Amino acid sequence: MEISLVAVDMDGTLLNDNSAVSRENLAAIRRLSEKGIMTVPVTGRTYYEIPEAVRKEECIRYFVFSNGSGIYEKGKGILYSSVMPRETAIGIFNLLNSYETYIEIYSGGYPWADTGKINEECFEYYKINPRFRTVIAHSRKRADDFSAMLETEALKPELFDAFFRSMQERENCLEALAGRFPQEQVVSSMGNNLEIMNKGTNKGTGLQKLCSLLSLDMQKTLALGDSKNDIHMFQVAGISYAVSNACDALKAIATGTACSNNEHIMEYAEKNIL
């Protein structure tokens, strides 16, 4: 199958276990670009927390960020953004805040977090995966009062990311979200988190939106990923490969299984899929 675009997830796929992109992956991206195949990171991260080596790579022009809530083009900025209505955002924040949670709000391509919770003690308390703690500590904008920022519209939420100390509270919150905010969509990329966006917003719709803007055939796309929030992207792409470290739910719908995220997925795709 002819492929014109590779949509690649970041954490657990393009990035290794140290949250870094390998030289081998960057070299493969450049070689693919020379052949007319573009690489587009499609990530749950905000644009500004994508590693600098990826953002500054000359052969990467477009980025789908915040689980499809935004699209960024180099030289132009944000082309598309799905922002929640203010009252909805306030209601979701108040619900999340009623549980023992570490909450992040993605707005304008940036991740915001509570100033008092950006520390190792809180990361441990809320069971945040150790490999992401350094990224969080260095990339988050600090917020002293989320409520005030939401009330004054200083934040325009694209996505809420909440980590739960208790899995039972996570399940209770998931049920409450479905009942009170049916217009929102909830996915998860880690065992104890919930990611909340506008209904119909996910990595799949983000990829479709970008392909529409570029007049590209969706059947000529290859998706690469590892977690449940990649499922929608796999469902709309022409072909899809899960990395070997991917969750079982993603492997079950993938065209095939590739190498692990520590074995240079873009180089693997270049040699074995494309």
Side-chain angles (χ1 to χ4, degrees):
M1 180 181 293
E2 181 185 354
I3 295 297
S4 56
L5 183 153
V6 179
V8 59
D9 167 59
M10 297 290 295
D11 294 288
T13 307
L14 180 65
L15 305 183
N16 60 29
D17 285 348
N18 295 317
S19 293
V21 59
S22 69
R23 288 176 295 178
E24 290 85 353
N25 273 335
L26 290 175
I29 288 170
R30 292 165 193 151
R31 290 191 297 269
L32 290 174
S33 179
E34 290 173 357
K35 297 175 182 177
I37 302 173
M38 70 173 68
T39 298
V40 176
V42 181
T43 179
R45 295 187 183 211
T46 60
Y47 172 72
Y48 290 100
E49 62 181 311
I50 294 172
E52 186 176 30
V54 178
R55 283 189 286 115
K56 291 192 173 181
E57 171 52 50
E58 291 184 1
C59 294
I60 301 177
R61 182 177 178 183
Y62 298 96
F63 303 80
V64 178
F65 62 88
S66 298
N67 279 340
S69 294
I71 297 173
Y72 186 96
E73 180 183 1
K74 282 181 181 174
K76 293 186 178 181
I78 295 176
L79 300 180
Y80 165 78
S81 183
S82 177
V83 177
M84 290 181 185
R86 185 166 63 92
E87 292 304 319
T88 298
I90 292 171
I92 290 173
F93 172 73
N94 289 337
L95 175 60
L96 294 174
N97 204 38
S98 68
Y99 300 98
E100 278 198 280
T101 48
Y102 169 90
I103 302 170
E104 297 185 335
I105 300 177
Y106 294 4
S107 173
Y110 287 96
W112 291 80
D114 187 325
T115 303
K117 291 185 176 180
I118 306 177
N119 57 70
E120 189 63 30
E121 183 179 353
C122 282
F123 296 160
E124 183 69 25
Y125 185 79
Y126 292 106
K127 304 176 182 178
I128 296 174
N129 191 313
R131 70 176 181 171
F132 297 119
R133 295 178 186 181
T134 300
V135 174
I136 290 173
H138 287 90
S139 64
R140 269 51 181 174
K141 285 183 170 290
R142 271 63 170 169
D144 294 326
D145 189 342
F146 270 142
S147 295
M149 294 180 75
L150 288 169
E151 289 283 356
T152 60
E153 298 189 70
L155 288 177
K156 300 184 184 298
E158 303 150 354
L159 181 150
F160 282 89
D161 186 11
F163 290 84
F164 291 76
R165 177 169 171 79
S166 163
M167 291 301 289
Q168 184 58 59
E169 285 200 349
R170 179 183 179 277
E171 292 307 307
N172 293 344
C173 184
L174 186 59
E175 184 177 348
L177 284 166
R180 292 173 55 182
F181 302 99
Q183 74 276 28
E184 301 304 307
Q185 181 159 305
V186 184
V187 298
S188 177
S189 59
M190 301 179 206
N192 67 323
N193 85 321
L194 294 176
E195 299 163 24
I196 306 150
M197 304 148 289
N198 285 328
K199 196 86 167 181
T201 300
N202 52 62
K203 288 187 177 184
T205 59
L207 179 58
Q208 288 176 315
K209 182 73 173 179
L210 176 62
C211 286
S212 176
L213 290 172
L214 300 178
S215 298
L216 292 179
D217 183 353
M218 283 296 302
Q219 290 305 305
K220 294 183 179 181
T221 61
L222 162 65
L224 303 170
D226 76 306
S227 63
K228 289 182 179 179
N229 69 343
D230 295 315
I231 287 176
H232 293 99
M233 178 170 70
F234 274 38
Q235 290 173 333
V236 300
I239 57 174
S240 57
Y241 275 74
V243 287
S244 62
N245 51 287
C247 66
D248 290 340
L250 195 67
K251 288 180 179 179
I253 66 168
T255 307
T257 300
C259 65
S260 80
N261 65 309
N262 291 314
E263 298 173 293
H264 322 304
I265 183 60
M266 293 302 299
E267 183 179 68
Y268 178 95
E270 177 193 20
K271 294 179 178 179
N272 299 283
I273 304 173
L274 299 171

